[in-house]
Amino acid sequence: MASMIFTDCSSSSTTATRFLPLSRHRVQDGLLHSRRSTPLRFAVTSPSLLRTIAATSRTYASPSVLTGLSMGWRCPVLLVSVKGVIGCLGRGMTKEYVLHLIVDALFSAMAADTSAKIIDGKSVAKKIRDEITAEISRMKDAIGVVPGLAVILVGDRKDSATYVRNKKKACVSVGINSYEVRLPEDSSDQEVLEYISGFNDDPAVHGILVQLPLPSNSVKYAMTSSRIKLWKDLNPNPIGIMKTTVLIVSVFLCQHMNEQNILNAVCIEKDVDGFHPLNIGRLAMRGRDPLFVPCTPKGCIELLHRYGVDIKGKKAVVIGRSNIVGMPAALLLQREDATISIVHSRTKNPEEITRQADIIISAVGKPNMVRGNWIKPGAVVIDVGINPVEDAKSARGYRLVGDVCYEEACKIASAITPVPGGVGPMTIAMLLSNTLSSAKRLHNFK
Ligand SMILES: NC(=O)C1=CN([C@@H]2O[C@H](COP(=O)(O)OP(=O)(O)OC[C@H]3O[C@@H](n4cnc5c(N)ncnc54)[C@H](OP(=O)(O)O)[C@@H]3O)[C@@H](O)[C@H]2O)C=CC1
Ligand SMILES: Nc1nc(=O)c2c([nH]1)NC[C@@H]1CN(c3ccc(C(=O)N[C@@H](CCC(=O)O)C(=O)O)cc3)C=[N+]21
């Protein structure tokens, strides 16, 4: 698991500013009076928020002016009774003032409850798994083929082991055959490559996933140092000395276990993670289509689609530019005709950029980094980050939080994914979906 940091929104160095569309009111003669001189623009997309507005507006605004809001519409429409307006004008109010009353009533209601719609990845993922189950059974009945997914796990990171276990469970739940290889931390690239080659040639396997991250230099270094210590202490035989020498040389020759070579070795027809450079290249090029789209970014876009969020022509900001999430997420949003900015560790004043976004996808790995004042009111926020933070109350001693300070963000965004229960389950659902598509393509089953 990534290093555990104890942090919450209040302990961050950024000052939390409430970015609510609060207007200042005073009540006089039973009527709401505004101190604001210019009307504000607004957009409300959440039906539940509309309902709140309708309810609270009737309470706070003059009932003779405001007779209601259209319910369940995608934009609030104030229904003002002619009689009410005439009544107000008759009491000496100007047309402009009555208009202000209406707008302010709307805003005071919005300020009373601006909780974002929760984008429920867990339930969407469940629905997708049900669809996949039905398709797999249709394929099995028609041509007798059952999709197979092979997962290679090198080393013993606890979080990786948990993800792999969860993937296996998900495969079983939809009827995909799962094949798993667990290799020790100090395995050579060659050993991993041999397994990949075997799965490439195995007709029962339609998808291959190498769990990332692969063991890094530091792990190998630690192991080498312990062997050197052993060598000194025990004066081992020449074979031991040779093995240690090979290890030392390999540490100096390669930065990591060679992730590039390993990902390149997965044949692109079975690259269900979508990490092969050919698949990423096709994702980046106009007029080309990848065989597979990386699961996490695909899950983010699927959530936006299923929640009816328009992407075309919108400003989208992706925070993070990793090969597995940030970069392909930006490419996908661009394919959906959004205008993209990418924020990374060297970006100056990231909050100025994110504040312009209609859609934010954050994939950084820093708990609560994205504060409420980084978000434009009404924006849609997809939080990919999965960060463990200490929590004495939890049985595990920690809980998972995203990159986004949820308590602040949910008061400003129009919709937001929770962590857990947001993008994570979608990643797994997309992996199953990619595995099914692969089996269908390899067997030419429509
Ligand atoms: N929900 C899911 O299904 C998944 C969740 N995750 C989670 O998503 C998060 C990101 O994962 P991953 O992409 O693999 O992580 P990486 O560490 O590979 O990439 C992190 C990215 O964040 C950028 N970054 C780091 N610090 C800052 C900062 N202060 N401001 C802006 N950008 C910053 C880095 O920039 P630079 O490039 O300059 O270094 C880098 O591009 C993690 O929490 C991970 O656990 C990952 C995969 C799937
Ligand atoms: N080759 C490869 N492909 C990946 O797709 C890949 C990978 N390597 N390495 C690690 C990251 C991370 N990742 C997650 C998948 C599911 C959840 C998930 O289901 N999360 C649950 C919580 C799980 C829990 O409670 O522990 C949730 O957010 O609700 C999280 C993270 C895939 N990754």
Side-chain angles (χ1 to χ4, degrees):
M1 186 137 312
S3 62
M4 190 131 61
I5 309 167
F6 180 78
T7 173
D8 58 26
C9 298
S10 55
S11 67
S12 164
S13 54
T14 327
T15 325
T17 325
R18 285 202 149 197
F19 220 73
L20 296 175
L22 278 169
S23 58
R24 288 171 183 78
H25 300 110
R26 60 202 160 90
V27 179
Q28 220 174 34
D29 309 328
L31 276 173
L32 200 69
H33 290 251
S34 171
R35 290 182 197 150
R36 190 203 303 287
S37 54
T38 47
L40 290 169
R41 273 180 282 159
F42 54 85
V44 180
T45 50
S46 145
S48 69
L49 178 55
L50 279 172
R51 276 191 288 279
T52 316
I53 292 167
T56 48
S57 296
R58 284 197 196 100
T59 318
Y60 296 132
S62 160
S64 60
V65 175
L66 248 177
T67 59
L69 282 166
S70 88
M71 308 281 277
W73 291 25
R74 292 203 60 79
C75 259
V77 175
L78 293 165
L79 301 175
V80 182
S81 77
V82 175
K83 200 174 143 216
V85 173
I86 292 172
C88 285
L89 293 173
R91 279 191 267 163
M93 294 180 202
T94 63
K95 271 187 292 185
E96 289 73 23
Y97 185 68
V98 175
L99 191 67
H100 262 199
L101 259 181
I102 295 166
V103 171
D104 261 10
L106 179 65
F107 270 94
S108 67
M110 282 172 78
D113 179 5
T114 51
S115 47
K117 177 191 281 180
I118 293 167
I119 300 180
D120 185 352
K122 199 171 167 188
S123 74
V124 174
K126 161 91 177 63
K127 202 159 165 255
I128 293 171
R129 284 201 306 274
D130 290 345
E131 290 160 14
I132 292 171
T133 309
E135 268 303 274
I136 289 177
S137 122
R138 187 174 72 87
M139 182 162 74
K140 192 177 171 189
D141 292 347
I143 58 168
V145 171
V146 175
L149 173 69
V151 176
I152 301 175
L153 172 62
V154 188
D156 39 39
R157 277 177 65 121
K158 256 181 146 181
D159 58 342
S160 295
T162 308
Y163 295 143
V164 169
R165 204 171 44 245
N166 290 344
K167 282 169 193 166
K168 198 172 174 178
K169 262 204 271 180
C171 282
V172 171
S173 80
V174 296
I176 289 177
N177 287 334
S178 132
Y179 307 91
E180 193 183 312
V181 173
R182 281 174 185 246
L183 296 171
E185 194 93 44
D186 61 343
S187 305
S188 67
D189 293 5
Q190 198 48 43
E191 282 169 273
V192 181
L193 291 171
E194 273 162 24
Y195 277 103
I196 293 176
S197 167
F199 288 136
N200 280 343
D201 297 338
D202 186 342
V205 170
H206 305 96
I208 303 168
L209 179 147
V210 182
Q211 184 68 23
L212 299 177
L214 287 163
S216 68
N217 222 357
S218 53
V219 176
K220 280 192 179 176
Y221 184 78
M223 295 182 67
T224 315
S225 343
S226 66
R227 279 207 193 169
I228 292 170
K229 192 165 174 292
L230 215 73
W231 178 16
K232 278 186 193 150
D233 293 347
L234 300 179
N235 188 19
N237 58 31
I239 292 179
I241 294 172
M242 228 169 71
K243 273 189 169 175
T244 306
T245 314
V246 168
L247 229 104
I248 293 171
V249 171
S250 77
V251 164
F252 285 107
L253 284 182
C254 62
Q255 261 310 86
H256 287 280
M257 180 171 221
N258 202 327
E259 187 180 295
Q260 253 186 51
N261 279 353
I262 287 169
L263 295 182
N264 287 359
V266 175
C267 72
I268 70 159
E269 289 80 11
K270 298 188 180 184
D271 173 36
V272 285
D273 248 338
F275 295 162
H276 193 288
L278 261 176
N279 270 325
I280 296 283
R282 290 188 188 185
L283 185 69
M285 290 170 82
R286 285 184 76 87
R288 306 279 182 96
D289 288 313
L291 292 179
F292 301 99
V293 171
C295 303
T296 305
K298 188 177 176 185
C300 297
I301 302 293
E302 189 68 33
L303 282 177
L304 293 173
H305 284 164
R306 293 205 180 211
Y307 273 80
V309 177
D310 278 341
I311 305 177
K312 199 186 185 94
K314 292 286 155 57
K315 281 190 185 156
V317 171
V318 179
I319 319 178
R321 55 175 168 180
S322 70
N323 287 343
I324 76 166
V325 191
M327 178 267 290
L331 292 176
L332 265 183
L333 284 165
Q334 191 164 42
R335 284 177 88 94
E336 297 268 336
D337 292 328
T339 303
I340 313 299
S341 303
I342 298 174
V343 165
H344 49 75
S345 67
R346 307 298 167 95
T347 303
K348 300 219 166 68
N349 302 328
E351 63 274 27
E352 279 174 19
I353 298 162
T354 56
R355 264 203 291 269
Q356 292 170 29
D358 303 304
I359 299 166
I360 297 176
I361 296 185
S362 181
V364 174
K366 294 220 169 357
N368 299 316
M369 185 184 88
V370 178
R371 307 297 301 262
N373 62 349
W374 287 40
I375 300 165
K376 177 165 98 175
V380 175
V381 178
I382 306 289
D383 190 355
V384 178
I386 305 246
N387 308 294
V389 297
E390 274 174 19
D391 183 2
K393 278 179 260 159
S394 153
R396 300 192 281 191
Y398 69 90
R399 71 195 148 87
L400 297 178
V401 301
D403 292 342
V404 179
C405 175
Y406 188 83
E407 307 91 83
E408 289 177 7
C410 70
K411 294 182 187 123
I412 293 148
S414 62
I416 185 167
T417 57
V419 176
V423 177
M426 289 299 288
T427 297
I428 297 190
M430 293 302 107
L431 175 67
L432 305 175
S433 157
N434 281 354
T435 307
L436 170 62
S437 315
S438 178
K440 280 182 165 181
R441 183 164 38 224
L442 289 167
H443 292 275
N444 199 18
F445 180 73
K446 302 274 177 241

